[in-house]
Amino acid sequence: MASTSTKATTTKSILNPVTTLKGHGGSIHSIAYFPDCQRMISGSGDKTTRQWDLKASKEIEEAQDVGEKEVYAVAVSRDGRWVVTGGDDWNAGLKACEVETGIMKTFKGHSQTIFCIDISTDNTLLASGSADETARIWNLETGKLVAGPFKSVGRVGAVRFSPDSKKLAVRLDLGTCLEVWDVQSQKLDVSIGKPSRRGVASSPIFWSNGKNKTIIAAFKFKFSFVADSVSDLDIDDHTKSIYEFDAVTLKTVGAPFEGHTKHISGLALSFDDTLLASASGSENTIKLWAFESRQLLASFDVQNIAFPLFLSPDSCQLVYLTSTKDDHKICICDTPPDILAQARTIARKKSARRDLLNSDATRRPPAGHRRPPISAIPMAPRPPPARDPQQSTFLRLSKLLRFSPRTNAVRNDQHRDPLDFSATLPLPRSLLGNTSTQGRSDMNPGDGSRPLSTTRLSATPPTTFADRIYHPSSWWPVRGGHAQTPIVDVPLAQAKERNAAAGAPKKDKDIVPIEYLDPPSPNPDSQQPVGAVQTSSGEHGGDRSCFCF
C-alpha cells in the first residue's frame, strides 16, 4: 500500500504492491485488464501471452499462448469478448481471439513490428500502429481492413480512438509528432511536430472521455541530436512534459504537467479524467496528478521500473512493471484512497465553477457588444373629453352627478323656446298643474305679522333634482312680512311682445326650458278647468313661492 499524504507532494514515498505476478521470462511490454477487473492479460519479450487470475494472484496456465516472436501490444474489448495481440511476428499479423469460443482471427497487412493497438468503445473496430509508419483500422467481426493505411511520417508508437470512434489519434517516434485522422474520410485532419526517426516511445495517448475535444500525451516540441545511431541518442532529452491538446487544432490547452526531469516512459489516465499517473524509468519515479488542476498530488520511488504504467478500469489499482536481468514482475498497488478522493474533489469543484461561469447568469456579452437601449413604448395622449357646445349645462351636470334618468325627458337636441308653440294648440301640460296651499302659523299672532305659509304643487313632495327645480317651494319656506311682486298670467303672444319691449335678455341656451322638465302629477282633487287663468295678489302666502331672504 502507499504510505503518503496529499501534502507530501515534493517528498518521495514508496509504493508497496498488494499483489505481485511472476512467470514471464522476459521484459513485459504490455498489459490489459478484463472489464470485471478479475483477470488480466500480458504480453512479453519471452514470446508469450498470459492471462492472470487477480483474485487468486496466479496465472491461468491453460490460457497461455506461445508465439514465434516478441509480443509488444495486448488489448481486451470493453465487453470482454475479444483479446487482441500484436508484435514482432508481423508475418502472422494481428491475432484476435474470441474468449468464449476460442475462435482465432488474423489481420494481415503490416510489414514491420506492430507496436500498439486499440479497440473502439463500441467493440467493433481495431486500430494498429507499426514501425512501417502506417496505422490501419480493421473490422473485428470480419477481420477486413476498413480504413487505411494512414501513411505517417514516422514510426507509430501509440494509437487511440476518440470516444465516438470517428477520429484516430497517432503519436510518432519518441513523442515528437502527433496526428489526428478522420476514420470515415481517411484523411489527415491536423498534425503537429516532426519525427525524430531515432526510435519509438511506448507511452500511450488518451482522449478526454466523452468530450472528443482534447488529447493527452507526453510530448517534446523542440529537440536536437547529432547521434548516428539509436545507441548514441540521449533518450532522456525527450518528452519530459505532458500536454493536453485541442483535438481540432492541436494547440495546447491549459498548463502542462511539469515535474519530471527525464524521459516519461509511462502514462495512465483514470476513466473519469480526474487522476493522471506518469512514470519515468530513468528517474525511478511515479507521479500522481490532479488532472483538472495540474496539481502534483504524490511522488513515489520505484526501483527497476519498466516502461508501461496502467490504472484499473475503476482507477482503484495502479499497476507498474519491473524488470531486471532474471526477474520480471507485474506489481499491483492500491491507488491511495486520499489521493484519489482529492483528485475527484478538485475535478468536481472545477466542473461546478466552469458550469457556473458558462451559465446564462454569469455569461458576459462579447467584447465591444453593447446591449441595445430599451425603447419606451409610445403612448398616445388621451384626448380631452368631447364637449357638445349645444348641450345644456344641466344635462352635463346630470351626467357628472349621475342623476336618475327620466324616461319621458325631452331630448337636448330639441332647441325651441318654451313658449314657442301655436296659439291654436292647448297649453302645455306643465302649465296646467293645479296648486294647493297649506298654511301654518309659525309666528306669534300678537305681533301683527301675517301667518307664514308654504306652497306645495302636489300632495307628494318632489324627490328628484328636476322636480325640485320645478318646485322651488320645496327648497326654501316662504317668509312672511315681505311684499311679493304680483304675477299675472297673460296670453302668450302678449307676453312675448311685453318681454321684448321691456328689453328682456334673449334666451340663454344653458338654462333648461321648463318644458324640458316633467311636470308634477296634477292633483286629483283639483276641479280647476283646463283653460283657467289665475292671478295672484302679489303678496306673500299666495300661490307662488317667495325667494326673499
Side-chain angles (χ1 to χ4, degrees):
M1 296 180 65
S3 56
T4 184
S5 67
T6 56
K7 297 180 180 179
T9 57
T10 59
T11 302
K12 291 183 179 181
S13 302
I14 298 176
L15 278 173
N16 296 319
V18 296
T19 302
T20 301
L21 304 176
K22 296 181 180 181
H24 280 294
S27 298
I28 303 170
H29 298 305
S30 180
I31 68 168
Y33 271 91
F34 280 79
D36 59 5
C37 294
Q38 300 298 314
R39 288 179 296 168
M40 180 187 291
I41 185 173
S42 59
S44 171
D46 63 3
K47 305 176 184 179
T48 65
T49 301
R50 302 171 188 251
Q51 288 192 33
W52 308 86
D53 184 336
L54 298 181
K55 191 173 183 179
S57 301
K58 65 179 182 180
E59 181 187 353
I60 306 173
E61 295 182 0
E62 61 271 19
Q64 185 180 130
D65 179 63
V66 181
E68 295 183 3
K69 294 186 178 181
E70 293 188 41
V71 180
Y72 282 99
V74 297
V76 179
S77 62
R78 286 168 174 78
D79 59 2
R81 179 184 176 189
W82 299 99
V83 172
V84 184
T85 61
D88 262 344
D89 196 2
W90 52 269
N91 285 322
L94 292 163
K95 294 179 181 181
C97 177
E98 192 171 23
V99 175
E100 291 187 0
T101 64
I103 298 176
M104 187 74 70
K105 295 182 179 182
T106 58
F107 305 83
K108 294 185 178 181
H110 285 293
S111 59
Q112 295 187 37
T113 302
I114 299 171
F115 288 121
C116 53
I117 56 179
D118 186 42
I119 299 175
S120 63
T121 55
D122 59 3
N123 308 301
T124 61
L125 301 177
L126 170 68
S128 59
S130 170
D132 64 7
E133 300 185 352
T134 66
R136 300 170 188 258
I137 297 178
W138 319 78
N139 185 298
L140 268 174
E141 194 71 38
T142 65
K144 294 182 178 180
L145 184 69
V146 296
F150 301 144
K151 183 63 178 175
S152 298
V153 294
R155 297 178 180 181
V156 179
V159 292
R160 185 74 65 176
F161 280 108
S162 63
D164 60 5
S165 304
K166 294 181 179 180
K167 305 290 183 181
L168 183 70
V170 177
R171 198 187 76 150
L172 309 177
D173 292 351
L174 294 173
T176 59
C177 188
L178 186 63
E179 299 174 342
V180 178
W181 292 80
D182 186 277
V183 174
Q184 185 174 3
S185 67
Q186 304 186 39
K187 294 182 179 180
L188 179 66
D189 282 349
V190 63
S191 65
I192 188 174
K194 59 183 180 179
S196 64
R197 300 189 182 277
R198 289 296 188 271
V200 62
S202 59
S203 62
I205 55 179
F206 299 92
W207 289 76
S208 53
N209 293 327
K211 299 179 181 178
N212 297 326
K213 293 183 178 180
T214 60
I215 301 170
I216 298 92
F219 196 81
K220 177 73 173 181
F221 282 96
K222 296 180 180 180
F223 67 94
S224 61
F225 59 87
V226 293
D228 295 330
S229 64
V230 175
S231 59
D232 296 332
L233 180 64
D234 183 7
I235 194 172
D236 291 338
D237 187 47
H238 293 271
T239 56
K240 299 176 183 178
S241 300
I242 305 164
Y243 295 90
E244 184 176 8
F245 297 92
D246 183 283
V248 177
T249 63
L250 288 185
K251 293 182 179 181
T252 58
V253 177
F257 299 83
E258 294 182 326
H260 287 288
T261 59
K262 295 183 179 181
H263 175 71
I264 297 172
S265 56
L267 197 64
L269 181 65
S270 65
F271 74 96
D272 56 1
D273 297 344
T274 60
L275 184 67
L276 181 70
S278 59
S280 173
S282 302
E283 290 179 357
N284 291 320
T285 61
I286 293 176
K287 297 182 182 295
L288 300 180
W289 313 78
F291 178 73
E292 288 291 342
S293 66
R294 275 52 168 172
Q295 179 182 349
L296 179 62
L297 303 178
S299 184
F300 305 98
D301 261 332
V302 180
Q303 297 300 316
N304 303 316
I305 186 172
F307 288 165
L309 183 68
F310 306 90
L311 282 169
S312 63
D314 59 5
S315 306
C316 293
Q317 291 182 329
L318 177 65
V319 182
Y320 65 91
L321 310 176
T322 63
S323 182
T324 61
K325 185 177 180 180
D326 300 319
D327 189 18
H328 311 281
K329 297 182 294 187
I330 301 174
C331 301
I332 303 175
C333 307
D334 288 336
T335 305
D338 54 344
I339 298 296
L340 187 59
Q342 184 179 5
R344 289 174 175 172
T345 299
I346 292 173
R348 185 167 54 253
K349 290 181 178 179
K350 196 170 184 68
S351 177
R353 189 180 304 113
R354 183 167 51 247
D355 292 343
L356 178 62
L357 293 176
N358 292 334
S359 66
D360 293 337
T362 57
R363 185 177 293 118
R364 294 182 178 181
H369 175 77
R370 298 184 62 184
R371 293 182 179 178
I374 301 176
S375 57
I377 301 176
M379 299 294 292
R382 180 178 297 179
R387 178 178 177 180
D388 186 359
Q390 301 298 325
Q391 190 180 48
S392 64
T393 303
F394 170 74
L395 290 181
R396 291 199 298 270
L397 287 174
S398 65
K399 290 182 180 180
L400 179 64
L401 300 178
R402 300 184 181 181
F403 295 139
S404 299
R406 304 281 298 186
T407 57
N408 57 349
V410 180
R411 294 177 55 185
N412 63 351
D413 57 351
Q414 299 176 359
H415 302 290
R416 60 185 180 85
D417 193 286
L419 301 180
D420 188 10
F421 57 89
S422 174
T424 61
L425 294 179
L427 290 174
R429 189 161 55 95
S430 59
L431 301 179
L432 296 179
N434 295 329
T435 61
S436 62
T437 305
Q438 280 186 341
R440 60 187 179 122
S441 178
D442 292 338
M443 304 296 294
N444 189 349
D447 59 2
S449 301
R450 293 183 58 185
L452 209 149
S453 65
T454 302
T455 302
R456 298 184 183 270
L457 298 181
S458 66
T460 303
T463 57
T464 64
F465 182 74
D467 290 342
R468 289 182 178 274
I469 292 179
Y470 187 81
H471 300 275
S473 62
S474 64
W475 288 24
W476 300 279
V478 178
R479 298 177 61 183
H482 296 275
Q484 182 178 5
T485 305
I487 300 174
V488 181
D489 291 330
V490 298
L492 298 178
Q494 183 180 355
K496 291 185 66 175
E497 293 177 358
R498 186 178 298 175
N499 289 342
K506 295 183 179 180
K507 179 176 61 179
D508 190 346
K509 295 181 180 181
D510 289 336
I511 297 177
V512 181
I514 192 168
E515 67 267 25
Y516 279 37
L517 305 175
D518 289 340
S521 300
N523 189 342
D525 298 333
S526 174
Q527 301 297 324
Q528 184 175 350
V530 173
V533 179
Q534 298 180 357
T535 60
S536 174
S537 62
E539 298 179 352
H540 288 290
D543 57 350
R544 297 290 181 178
S545 299
C546 178
F547 285 86
C548 298
F549 291 91

